[in-house]
Amino acid sequence: MKPSRFEYFAPESLAEAVALRDAHPGAAVLAGGQSLLPIMNFRLGRPEQVIDLRKASELAFVRVQNDVVEVGAMTRQRDLERDEGAARANPLIAESLRLVAHAVIRNRGTVGGSIAHADPAAELPALLSCLDGSVEVAGVRGRRRISAGELFVFHLTTSLEPNEVITSVSFPALEPSWGWSFLEVTRRHGDFALAGVCAALKLDGDRCVGQVRLAACGIGTTPVRLSTAEEALLSRPLTEKALREAGRAAAGYVTAGDETQASTAYRRQLVEALVRRSLLRAAARLERRTS
Amino acid sequence: MTSAPSFGTRVRRNEDERLLTGRGRYIDDITLEGALAVAFVRSPMASARIISVDTSQAMALEGVHLVVTCDDIEHLDTEMPLLIPDPSLTSPRTQRPLARGEVFYVGQTVAMVVADDRYVAEDAADLVEVVYEPLEAVVGVDRAVASGARSVHEGVAGNVAAHSRQRSGEPDAAFASAEHVTSVTVRVERSSAAPMEPRAVAARWDSVLGELTVWDGTQAPISVRGGLASLFGLDEHRVRVVAPDVGGGFGQKVLLFYPDEVLVPWAAVKLNRPVKYIEDRQENFLGSTHERLQVHHIELAATRDGLVTGLRDSFLHDTGAFIPYGLAVAQVAAGQIAGSYRIPNISVDFKAVYTNTVPVTPYRGCGRPHACFAIERAMDVLADDLGIDRFEIRRRNFIGTEEFPYDRPGLIFADGQPVSYDGGDYARALSLLEEALDPPAFRAEQEAARSEGRYLGLGLACYVEGTGLGPYEGGHVKVHPITGKVYVNTGLSSQGQGHATSFAQIAADEVGVSPSDVVVVEGDTGEFDWGVATFASRAAVVSGNAIRKAALIVREQIVHQASQMFEAAPEDIVIEEGKVFVQGVESRALTLAEVATMSNPLRYAFNKAAQSATQFTPAARRDGAALAEGAHPGLEATDYFSPASTTWAYGVHGAIVEVDPATFEVKVKRYVCVHDCGRMINPMIVEGQVIGGVAQGMGGAFYELLDYDAEGNLRNASLMEFLMPYATEVPRVEISHLETPSPRNPLGVKGVGEAGTIPVAAAFASAVEDALAPLLHGHLLDVPLSPTSLHAATRAG
C-alpha cells in the first residue's frame, strides 16, 4: 500500500496551481488527501504528478456576504464546521459537516476536496445540491461558476475540465424563516451513509409548505435532488399523508443496486423514513426558531 | 509467612507505562542497519494455472536485490507443515511458500521481491509478469459440496478435507422417542481477526557465528524456532526467535508458517543482509488467515416440557484453500456443541471443506462462537416452539452443580482428550443475569413501548469454554543478585494480555515481593526455550501454574539461605515486600538482593554486597565445599505444568436492545455479562479481556463479513469496507464475576481470553429477534445482522 512513483508540486498560489494543472492534465490535485491518498496507496490511481494545494493559502477562507456563505476550496471541513459566521448564516452547513466521517478526518479534509471528489454517498455534495449552491472554478482561460445541478455528473465525476481547479464553494444562506435537517444512517459512527437526506423547509402563514428543498446522498450515482418529493409537499401542511407521499416519491430516486451493506429495497424504505423524519425535524426547528 | 497476596487484586499493569508512553517495541520499531524491504507478488485469481512468470523487468529496476519464484528458493520449495494431523483429516493440503504451477486463492504468494525500501519493492512487484490460465473458482461451502462442484485440489472429491463423526450416548434412540424435535440451520459468516498490528517478520544472519535471529510477530516463538531450525538445518540454539511487543494476535499469529516467515530469513541468509517484511493492511486481509464461516444444521429432541434429550448437529466448516492448522476450529465447535446443557445423547458430524479463499485457522473463540450460536439459537427456537420462557428452558437443562465432573463420553476436544467439564454453577449465573435485567419488568416496558411503535427486545446466550489446553508450559524464576528484582520467564508470549502483570502477581505472592518488583520476560527463545504458544485461553492456566511451581521452589531456596544466614529455624523466616527477616526481628532484615548474593559463593568481591559473599568472609564460610552436593548457585528454579485435562469456564450474556422499525438500526440499551473463569488473578485484567471480547463479539454479531464475490475476489479487503465496531459502537458492559476454583490446577484458574467473544452474536440475535418479533417472518439464524438483513427478514415469508 505504497503509491507508485509521482512528481510532487506544491504551488504557493492559485495562478501557479492552474498553470501546473494546465501543463499536466493527468495530474491529481491534492487538497486534504482523505480520499486521494488511499486511492494512490491502493494503486487504484497512479497519477504521474500530484499538485498539492496546501500552500495556496488564498484558497482557505470563509466569507459571509450577500446571503451567501462562500468557502475557499482549501478550507478544512473542521474550520467551516466551527465557523460562527457560517453557522449564523446557515446552520445546515455545520449540521452536515458533523456527519462527515470523524473529527480527525475533518481536520484534514477540505470543503473543495469533498465537492471535487463527488462521492455520491458524501454529505457535502448533497448539501450543495439541496441548497442550490455553486462552485467557482479557475482555469488558464479564467474563472467560471458551475451550479450544483450542473456540477455532479456521475460517481466520482464532475463537469470540471481536466485543467480546472475548484477555488471556492458557495452555499446560499438560510434565513431564520427556514427550518433545516440532515439525517443519515450509517453502519458505524462516521461511515459513509447508507442513505442520508438533507432538508430545508419554509412554512406559510397557514402552516402549509411554502418552499422546500430535499436532497439525498448514498442512493445513486450523484447526490440527488428529490424534486418530485418537493413538489408533493408544496402548499400542503405536513400531514401524515403528505409525508408518506413525499417519502414514496423520494424512494423512487433510489438507483443504487443491491450491495452487501444495503439492498435497493432497504434503501428505498430508508430514504422514505429519512425524508419523513428530516422534514419533521426541520419543521420542529422552525417552530423553535420562530416562537 | 507472606504479605497480603496480590493474587485476586486489581494490580495496575506493569506494562502500561511503557506501552502508553510510546516505548513499546514492535517489529517495525526494531532498527536493523541496512535492512531491505520485502513485497510479494500475489495472485489476483482465486483459481488458475500459472503459465509463466517473468521477473526480468522487476530485476532490472534500480534498488532491487532479489526477485524469486518457487524455482529459486531451494529447499523451501516444499509444502509447509500440517501442524495438527488427525485421522479424519484424510485429504490434507498445505501451501508452498511461493505457488508452483497453480494458485488457489486471491492473495496467494507467487513471487517475492527484496529491495531497498517498500516503495521500490512494490514497484518491482508490479513489474513481475505472471500469465495465468483462469480456472473456475469454488467459493462458498454450500457450492463447494454441491454435486458437480469442481475440486479445489486435484484428487479431493467433493472438496472434503475431513469428515468427522462423533457420538455420545444414544442419539438415534433419543430422537426416535422424542416428543418434540426442533431443527434450525444457522450460519456464522467469515471474518478476520484484523489485529491492530498486522503480521511482521525481520531476520538477520550472523555469518561469523552462524546464527540466525528472527523477530516475528508470532504467538508461538518457540515453535517457530523449532520449525526454522529444521528448515534451515541448524541446531536450535543457532536460531533465536524473538516475539517483541505484538499488537494483537487473536489466533491469526499462531499459525506457522506463513510464507514470509520462512522466506524473509532465507533472503537474509542468501543476501547476508537484514531483511524486514511488514505486512500491510490489505495483505493482512488477503494473506493472513480468516475464520468463522460455518453452517450448522442442528436438531434438538425434547420432551414437551422442554427437557432436551438429544442433539444432532451436522455442519460444514469452510477451511479455505488449505488446512495447515488441521481441524482445530471444527473440532472445538464439535466438542462444545451441547454448551451448558446436560443433553446426554449427542451426534455431531462435520465436513471441513476446501474453497478458493484465504485459508482458515483459529480466531479468538476458535469454533466456540459458532457452536454457541448454533445451540443457543436452537434453544431459543425450542423455547418458542414449546411456549416456554427462554430463561426457564435453559434452567431446566443446565448441568447441575452436583453433576461435575460432567463427561461427554465419545466427544473429543481439541487437545485430543475426552470432553469433561470440571465445575461451576450454571443456574446461579443465569439467576444473576435475571436479577440484573429483571425480565418481568422488562416485559411490561416492552409492551408499553410497542404501543408507541417502539421495539425493545431482551435476549440471552449461555456459553462454556474449554480453556487451558496442554501439552505444557514452563516457568523460570530467578532473583537477581544486584537489584533483587525477580525475573520470570515463560515460553509463550503476550500480544497484549497483561502477562507482565498477571504472571508477576503469581510469582510475587509466592516469593514474597511486590508485583512491581517482578520483571516478566517472554517471547524470546534466547531467554527461555521450552514451551508451545499462546492460544486457547491457556496462558494463565498453563504458564501461570508453571510459574507458581518454580516460584515455590525459589521461595524454599530463600528460606533455606536466610535460615543459614540468620542461624534461625526455616519456619521462623519471613519474606515480605522483598525483605527477609526472622519473625519479630524486622529491624535486622536483609534484602532479597543480599540473600541472592549470599546464595552464590564468590571468589571476587566486585561490590559491597559481594564482599560478604566471598569465600573468605566468615559469614559465608561453610564446612567443606562452597556448594553442597546437588545444590546450585543463586536463587533460581525452573518447573513445568502439564494439565491432564481442559478446564471449563462458562457464563451467560444478556442484552436489551431497541430496534428502529424503519431504519433497522439497533441501539444497545443494556449489556450484561455474568462469567466464571475460576479464581481471578487480576479482576481488572479479566474485565479488560471480557470487554474486549464483547467488542470483538459485536463485530461478529453486527458487522464483520468478508465479502467474497462468486469469482473469489475479496471485495472488502480494507478497514474502510470490512467493518469492525469502533468504541462508539461498543456499549457499556456490566460484568458480574463468579469464582468457582478449577479443581484441575493448583491455582484454581480457568482461561478468560476468549470468553467475552463467544456468546455475543447469539445474545444479540436473541435480543433483536425478541424486539422485532411482531414484524419478523421466522427466526434470525444468520450473523452478522445488518439493517439490510433485518429489513429482508421482515419482508420474507
Side-chain angles (χ1 to χ4, degrees):
Chain A
M1 294 211 305
K2 304 289 185 205
S4 56
R5 203 169 278 271
F6 60 89
E7 200 177 351
Y8 175 80
F9 300 101
E12 295 190 1
S13 70
L14 174 63
E16 208 185 319
V18 167
L20 282 166
R21 188 96 174 99
D22 196 54
H24 304 289
V29 175
L30 172 59
Q34 300 303 291
S35 302
L36 177 63
L37 294 190
I39 287 169
M40 289 172 63
N41 287 343
F42 279 115
R43 299 197 175 205
L44 296 170
R46 302 177 182 217
E48 291 186 4
Q49 300 88 21
V50 169
I51 304 169
D52 186 350
L53 297 181
R54 74 193 163 89
K55 291 185 181 169
S57 51
E58 68 202 272
L59 295 180
F61 62 85
V62 179
R63 271 197 295 268
V64 182
Q65 56 188 25
N66 304 328
D67 293 333
V68 171
V69 180
E70 192 187 4
V71 183
M74 282 299 288
T75 305
R76 305 289 164 181
Q77 291 158 4
R78 189 78 166 151
D79 289 335
L80 178 58
E81 179 187 339
R82 291 175 157 181
D83 190 280
E84 288 177 13
R88 269 194 304 276
N90 187 338
L92 187 50
I93 294 174
E95 168 133 317
S96 307
L97 280 163
R98 279 194 286 275
L99 300 174
V100 176
H102 308 270
V104 285
I105 290 177
R106 300 198 293 275
N107 284 339
R108 295 288 307 172
T110 63
V111 175
S114 173
I115 297 292
H117 188 56
D119 192 314
E123 292 82 1
L124 289 184
L127 172 69
L128 200 68
S129 299
C130 178
L131 295 171
D132 276 333
S134 62
V135 296
E136 189 194 66
V137 303
V140 281
R141 277 183 294 280
R143 300 191 179 213
R144 67 183 177 118
R145 187 161 286 281
I146 308 174
S147 70
E150 301 287 316
L151 180 65
F152 300 109
V153 175
F154 190 63
H155 187 77
L156 309 186
T157 310
T158 65
S159 57
L160 258 71
E161 296 297 329
N163 60 359
E164 286 179 321
V165 177
I166 294 180
T167 57
S168 73
V169 182
S170 291
F171 301 99
L174 279 184
E175 293 161 21
S177 53
W178 287 81
W180 78 94
S181 165
F182 201 138
L183 290 177
E184 66 178 27
V185 168
T186 59
R187 286 304 320 271
R188 300 171 303 180
H189 176 79
D191 279 348
F192 275 114
L194 301 178
V197 169
C198 181
L201 175 76
K202 201 170 174 172
L203 295 180
D204 286 344
D206 56 0
R207 308 183 62 73
C208 287
V209 174
Q211 291 184 61
V212 60
R213 302 170 181 283
L214 287 167
C217 60
I219 66 167
T221 58
T222 62
V224 180
R225 186 70 180 265
L226 306 170
S227 309
T228 60
E230 294 173 1
E231 284 157 23
L233 292 162
L234 277 179
S235 310
R236 297 172 69 181
L238 287 180
T239 58
E240 277 301 317
K241 187 160 179 283
L243 290 167
R244 197 162 51 241
E245 284 174 20
R248 292 208 176 134
Y253 283 96
V254 175
T255 57
D258 284 335
E259 294 167 3
T260 307
Q261 294 302 349
S263 65
T264 305
Y266 169 67
R267 275 208 169 93
R268 292 211 164 105
Q269 174 166 335
L270 183 56
V271 168
E272 192 176 332
L274 289 174
V275 161
R276 175 197 153 82
R277 291 178 189 181
S278 226
L279 286 166
L280 288 174
R281 196 151 95 119
R285 278 184 169 145
L286 184 54
E287 211 134 281
R288 278 204 299 279
R289 235 180 158 183
T290 51
S291 67
Chain B
M1 304 209 69
T2 53
S3 42
S6 69
F7 192 106
T9 65
R10 295 171 181 270
V11 172
R12 291 237 186 149
R13 301 205 327 163
N14 282 339
E15 50 270 79
D16 281 344
E17 189 187 343
R18 195 172 56 78
L19 294 174
L20 296 176
T21 54
R23 287 181 289 131
R25 273 165 70 80
Y26 300 86
I27 287 177
D28 209 16
D29 299 320
I30 292 166
T31 310
L32 297 172
E33 189 67 30
L36 300 172
V38 168
F40 287 97
V41 176
R42 294 177 180 276
S43 172
M45 309 256 173
S47 179
R49 265 187 267 286
I50 298 174
I51 305 302
S52 63
V53 185
D54 180 356
T55 60
S56 56
Q57 280 192 69
M59 268 312 291
L61 192 71
E62 194 188 332
V64 172
H65 295 257
L66 198 63
V67 184
V68 292
T69 69
C70 60
D71 289 332
D72 309 311
I73 56 172
E74 306 164 348
H75 56 284
L76 295 186
D77 180 33
T78 180
E79 283 164 7
M80 288 189 281
L82 168 66
L83 294 173
I84 308 175
D86 187 282
S88 68
L89 181 47
T90 49
S91 301
R93 294 289 186 276
T94 60
Q95 78 182 82
R96 291 163 179 272
L98 296 172
R100 172 168 286 285
E102 195 172 349
V103 287
F104 297 90
Y105 62 94
V106 171
Q108 187 177 348
T109 44
V110 175
M112 175 177 70
V113 177
V114 185
D116 282 345
D117 59 45
R118 175 76 186 208
Y119 290 85
V120 176
E122 286 193 28
D123 289 346
D126 273 358
L127 292 172
V128 173
E129 275 184 36
V130 188
V131 178
Y132 297 97
E133 180 191 317
L135 299 167
E136 187 198 337
V138 180
V139 180
V141 273
D142 327 66
R143 272 176 59 192
V145 295
S147 66
R150 199 179 71 82
S151 290
V152 170
H153 296 285
E154 209 180 297
V156 183
N159 291 310
V160 177
H163 188 177
S164 159
R165 294 186 176 86
Q166 298 184 62
R167 299 285 178 278
S168 186
E170 302 286 341
D172 291 342
F175 276 86
S177 63
E179 291 171 5
H180 175 85
V181 174
T182 283
S183 317
V184 293
T185 300
V186 306
R187 182 185 175 93
V188 178
E189 261 301 343
R190 185 179 263 256
S191 186
S192 167
M196 188 177 288
E197 182 201 20
R199 292 188 318 94
V201 184
R204 184 173 62 194
W205 169 246
D206 184 328
S207 57
V208 177
L209 295 174
E211 285 181 358
L212 179 65
T213 306
V214 178
W215 292 264
D216 187 346
T218 179
Q219 298 172 219
I222 290 171
S223 303
V224 168
R225 193 264 319 259
L228 286 177
S230 154
L231 270 175
F232 287 87
L234 295 166
D235 281 333
E236 287 193 325
H237 78 288
R238 292 282 177 225
V239 181
R240 181 177 176 193
V241 175
V242 183
D245 287 322
V246 174
F250 310 111
Q252 191 186 67
K253 297 175 183 173
V254 78
L255 175 65
L256 51 138
F257 292 105
Y258 286 98
D260 45 86
E261 286 179 301
V262 297
L263 291 170
V264 168
W266 176 82
V269 175
K270 192 88 187 159
L271 296 168
N272 198 18
R273 274 185 74 167
V275 177
K276 205 179 209 183
Y277 169 67
I278 307 295
E279 181 186 69
D280 71 25
R281 184 57 64 186
Q282 191 176 34
E283 290 176 299
N284 188 258
F285 281 109
L286 295 174
S288 291
T289 53
H290 298 170
E291 213 240 58
R292 287 292 189 272
L293 181 54
Q294 284 182 359
V295 180
H296 286 249
H297 180 69
I298 182 169
E299 296 175 283
L300 299 179
T303 63
R304 265 183 293 272
D305 52 8
L307 200 67
V308 182
T309 54
L311 180 159
R312 263 198 308 238
D313 181 39
S314 164
F315 69 93
L316 298 176
H317 168 75
D318 183 356
T319 191
F322 297 99
I323 195 157
Y325 209 80
L327 301 177
V329 179
Q331 196 73 36
V332 169
Q336 48 180 88
I337 189 64
S340 318
Y341 312 112
R342 196 176 293 112
I343 314 182
N345 305 297
I346 297 167
S347 150
V348 55
D349 293 6
F350 67 82
K351 288 178 180 166
V353 178
Y354 288 120
T355 58
N356 288 118
T357 57
V358 170
V360 164
T361 65
Y363 158 39
R364 195 180 199 176
C366 181
R368 300 173 183 91
H370 322 52
C372 179
F373 191 74
I375 179 67
E376 290 302 297
R377 293 283 48 224
M379 289 299 279
D380 276 357
V381 175
L382 176 67
D384 293 359
D385 285 353
L386 297 175
I388 299 171
D389 174 76
R390 288 176 172 190
F391 283 77
E392 179 56 27
I393 199 157
R394 287 173 166 84
R395 202 176 350 258
R396 287 181 194 175
N397 286 286
F398 278 147
I399 298 164
T401 50
E402 71 292 350
E403 293 175 83
F404 293 107
Y406 190 80
D407 299 341
R408 299 196 192 277
L411 292 198
I412 300 298
F413 201 56
D415 54 358
Q417 305 289 323
V419 171
S420 168
Y421 298 0
D422 54 345
D425 190 342
Y426 298 178
R428 171 95 184 106
L430 189 71
S431 301
L432 285 176
L433 181 73
E434 278 179 304
E435 283 167 29
L437 292 178
D438 195 355
F442 170 79
R443 291 296 162 210
E445 191 190 344
Q446 181 184 43
E447 201 179 317
R450 274 187 191 160
S451 67
E452 301 163 11
R454 291 168 50 230
Y455 291 81
L456 303 179
L458 186 158
L460 77 159
C462 301
Y463 71 94
V464 291
E465 184 196 359
T467 72
L469 279 59
Y472 79 94
E473 292 293 342
H476 171 250
V477 174
K478 179 180 181 180
V479 181
H480 200 287
I482 304 291
T483 59
K485 297 270 186 193
V486 177
Y487 276 70
V488 170
N489 304 111
T490 185
L492 46 66
S493 58
S494 172
Q495 300 81 44
Q497 294 91 336
H499 294 177
T501 310
S502 302
F503 291 161
Q505 287 177 255
I506 292 169
D509 286 1
E510 304 303 349
V511 174
V513 295
S514 152
S516 59
D517 286 326
V518 180
V519 181
V520 177
V521 178
E522 296 180 321
D524 183 346
T525 63
E527 297 278 351
F528 191 83
D529 70 347
W530 296 104
V532 187
T534 302
F535 63 93
S537 303
R538 68 191 290 276
V541 178
V542 193
S543 280
N545 278 288
I547 290 164
R548 175 183 168 276
K549 287 169 77 178
L552 279 171
I553 298 170
V554 169
R555 181 186 177 78
E556 279 175 29
Q557 294 169 355
I558 297 168
V559 168
H560 174 74
Q561 180 67 38
S563 70
Q564 288 196 345
M565 292 167 74
F566 288 122
E567 294 180 342
E571 53 272 24
D572 291 336
I573 302 295
V574 180
I575 314 172
E576 250 180 40
E577 298 287 325
K579 292 217 163 16
V580 187
F581 53 92
V582 178
Q583 177 81 42
V585 205
E586 200 173 345
S587 55
R588 290 188 50 209
L590 293 166
T591 64
L592 260 188
E594 287 168 324
V595 179
T597 300
M598 289 297 287
S599 71
N600 178 24
L602 290 170
R603 179 170 177 80
Y604 304 116
F606 50 77
N607 66 13
K608 193 157 183 291
Q611 282 174 13
S612 59
T614 62
Q615 57 196 117
F616 313 107
T617 310
R621 192 165 299 144
R622 292 164 178 82
D623 296 332
L627 272 185
E629 190 61 33
H632 60 79
L635 303 173
E636 178 176 22
T638 300
D639 209 340
Y640 298 87
F641 182 71
S642 181
S645 177
T646 301
T647 178
W648 291 73
Y650 68 94
V652 56
H653 289 197
I656 292 178
V657 300
E658 177 167 358
V659 187
D660 186 317
T663 66
F664 295 100
E665 292 165 284
V666 177
K667 193 188 296 172
V668 182
K669 298 171 80 77
R670 296 277 303 276
Y671 197 86
V672 178
C673 172
V674 182
H675 82 109
D676 186 343
C677 61
R679 290 182 68 209
M680 289 188 285
I681 303 167
N682 184 327
M684 183 183 71
I685 287 178
V686 167
E687 286 166 10
Q689 283 282 18
V690 170
I691 292 168
V694 169
Q696 214 149 15
M698 281 201 71
F702 292 114
Y703 301 103
E704 292 171 14
L705 177 159
L706 288 166
D707 189 13
Y708 274 101
D709 70 13
E711 282 72 50
N713 300 301
L714 182 55
R715 289 189 285 205
N716 59 345
S718 79
L719 288 181
M720 232 154 43
E721 292 158 302
F722 175 78
L723 308 181
M724 300 169 73
Y726 298 131
T728 42
E729 276 63 57
V730 179
R732 195 171 78 83
V733 179
E734 303 164 46
I735 301 176
S736 294
H737 300 292
L738 283 171
E739 289 190 83
T740 309
S742 171
R744 291 183 177 165
N745 63 76
L747 285 173
V749 296
K750 303 178 179 187
V752 73
E754 297 162 282
T757 311
I758 298 168
V760 183
F764 277 121
S766 176
V768 172
E769 182 178 287
D770 183 48
L772 289 179
L775 307 177
L776 283 176
H777 301 270
H779 294 272
L780 299 176
L781 302 174
D782 302 342
V783 280
L785 303 168
S786 69
T788 285
S789 75
L790 294 176
H791 172 257
T794 60
R795 292 296 180 90

